[in-house]
Amino acid sequence: MKIKLMNISHTFESNINEKFDAISNINFDINEHEFIGIIGPTGSGKTTLIEHLNGLLIPSKGEIQFEYFIEEVDKKTNKLFKKEKIKVIKKSWRKIKNINEIRKLVGIVFQFAEYQLFEETIEKDIIFGPINMGIPREKAKEIAKEMIVKVGLDESFLQRSPFELSGGQKRRVAIAGILSMMPDILVFDEPTAGLDPDGCKEMLKLFDLLNKEGKTIVIVTHNLDDVLEHASRTIFIKEGKIIKDGNTLDILSNEKFLLENKMSVPKLISLTNKLNQKYQTSIPYTKTIDEFVELINKIKERG
């Protein structure tokens, strides 16, 4: 699936007729198999932006184009085939036809995952989406078993109440519920907030795995260390507008730019800059600790 955002804006209106432009003139594409980090100061419009990606919000201006395939049955041969579809969402469309097709293909997991859990058991929560998509209950239960393991929990969790879980476990269950609907694109809002270091590492490892399996991943986060290591592309939003969109390393290695925008510089970038300044060297920037260590060892070997 591909998503194209064209000049979209969203204006909120209060009860006293005050207006606030949360995002303005946003233009970018989300392509298949990308891993994108969306960053920016608090209140910059990041969450408002991602709520447009599956029709939770409708743009006040502009339009969003979704390109995707659905399976249909050939009436003559009775065989399944894939049919390309293009759906456009814009303000003038008060009722969006077949919006569930979009929401099935674009799954969003918000920061407070407990708000997305409501059933008596974890199994019921996970199978809710598939059953509403027309999948038989027994097949949905098999999907639930597969997805609970994929997110790092075992099958024994399925009969437990989601409200007995820790914050990190609830987030995993919410992800399992989204995965059960087989989306093409997964969007996560502050996915590691409140998790301990091990929990953060495991969560990001899951995202990498899903991306390697062909899913498009979008994460909204303030943790630029995570973005540096995992995202290949970064979109920087400030005051509702995109001010940078490009290669993650290029954007996050610009220490001056980050500091001017009150963002924390990734630790690896800061360390590299300090070493270059202290020893008058030109050590290249790296995305991970392993890459950095390997590079330093090569430099030491060369003397």
Side-chain angles (χ1 to χ4, degrees):
M1 180 183 221
K2 297 180 181 180
I3 304 177
K4 188 178 186 67
L5 292 87
M6 296 172 280
N7 298 311
I8 72 162
S9 300
H10 195 95
T11 302
F12 289 106
E13 297 186 26
S14 70
N15 293 330
I16 54 175
N17 294 322
E18 289 185 347
K19 295 183 178 181
F20 169 68
D21 294 327
I23 54 174
S24 303
N25 299 316
I26 297 289
N27 290 276
F28 71 92
D29 296 351
I30 297 177
N31 300 304
E32 291 181 343
H33 313 317
E34 285 195 290
F35 196 132
I36 300 172
I38 297 179
I39 63 174
T42 299
S44 58
K46 302 184 295 297
T47 298
T48 299
L49 172 60
I50 64 171
E51 288 178 343
H52 286 79
L53 297 182
N54 71 350
L56 290 174
L57 288 179
I58 306 302
S60 304
K61 296 179 182 177
E63 62 182 51
I64 307 170
Q65 181 174 295
F66 299 85
E67 299 177 20
Y68 58 102
F69 290 87
I70 61 169
E71 287 190 340
E72 290 193 356
V73 177
D74 188 302
K75 294 180 180 178
K76 293 182 179 179
T77 65
N78 206 34
K79 292 182 178 179
L80 282 173
F81 71 98
K82 287 191 174 182
K83 179 181 178 181
E84 185 175 16
K85 294 193 71 174
I86 296 177
K87 186 180 291 295
V88 175
I89 292 180
K90 52 186 176 181
K91 184 181 179 182
S92 60
W93 293 20
R94 294 295 181 184
K95 186 175 181 180
I96 303 167
K97 188 177 179 181
N98 297 328
I99 187 62
N100 285 339
E101 282 184 4
I102 299 298
R103 292 177 180 164
K104 181 175 73 173
L105 293 169
V106 184
I108 300 180
V109 179
F110 291 100
Q111 178 177 351
F112 300 105
E114 57 269 28
Y115 297 153
Q116 292 176 254
L117 306 176
F118 54 89
E119 289 284 5
E120 296 174 352
T121 67
I122 289 169
E123 181 183 65
K124 288 183 179 180
D125 246 311
I126 295 175
I127 67 175
F128 180 84
I131 287 175
N132 277 276
M133 287 163 47
I135 294 175
R137 179 173 291 273
E138 291 307 311
K139 175 63 176 175
K141 287 184 176 182
E142 290 302 313
I143 293 173
K145 290 178 182 179
E146 180 184 348
M147 295 308 159
I148 199 71
V149 172
K150 184 177 283 289
V151 299
L153 302 175
D154 61 62
E155 291 184 22
S156 67
F157 278 82
L158 290 173
Q159 300 310 315
R160 293 175 61 180
S161 166
F163 305 106
E164 298 173 353
L165 306 181
S166 67
Q169 289 171 333
K170 287 179 180 177
R171 209 161 299 171
R172 289 174 185 271
V173 171
I175 294 171
I178 295 295
L179 287 176
S180 69
M181 293 184 283
M182 309 300 176
D184 288 344
I185 299 175
L186 290 157
V187 184
F188 301 96
D189 190 8
E190 296 292 351
T192 61
L195 300 183
D196 59 35
D198 287 340
C200 292
K201 187 176 180 179
E202 290 301 313
M203 188 69 66
L204 291 162
K205 185 192 295 185
L206 171 61
F207 298 164
D208 283 338
L209 173 64
L210 294 169
N211 186 234
K212 288 175 182 176
E213 291 178 349
K215 305 292 186 186
T216 300
I217 304 295
V218 179
I219 61 170
V220 174
T221 182
H222 286 90
N223 191 321
L224 301 195
D225 295 295
D226 292 345
V227 175
L228 177 66
E229 181 169 354
H230 298 275
S232 56
R233 174 184 171 198
T234 292
I235 297 171
F236 194 107
I237 299 177
K238 182 179 180 181
E239 296 176 352
K241 297 179 180 180
I242 293 178
I243 56 175
K244 281 190 182 294
D245 178 358
N247 177 274
T248 292
L249 192 58
D250 291 342
I251 292 174
L252 298 189
S253 62
N254 190 336
E255 185 169 345
K256 180 181 178 183
F257 166 78
L258 293 176
L259 293 175
E260 286 175 349
N261 287 281
K262 299 179 181 179
M263 301 293 290
S264 299
V265 179
K267 296 180 183 65
L268 268 181
I269 300 299
S270 180
L271 175 60
T272 302
N273 286 340
K274 288 175 181 177
L275 289 173
N276 284 332
Q277 184 177 12
K278 183 175 181 178
Y279 296 106
Q280 296 298 301
T281 57
S282 55
I283 300 171
Y285 294 114
T286 52
K287 289 173 64 71
T288 69
I289 290 289
D290 289 343
E291 290 176 3
F292 179 79
V293 170
E294 183 179 355
L295 179 64
I296 294 300
N297 285 334
K298 286 182 179 178
I299 292 173
K300 288 172 66 178
E301 287 172 5
R302 292 198 301 263

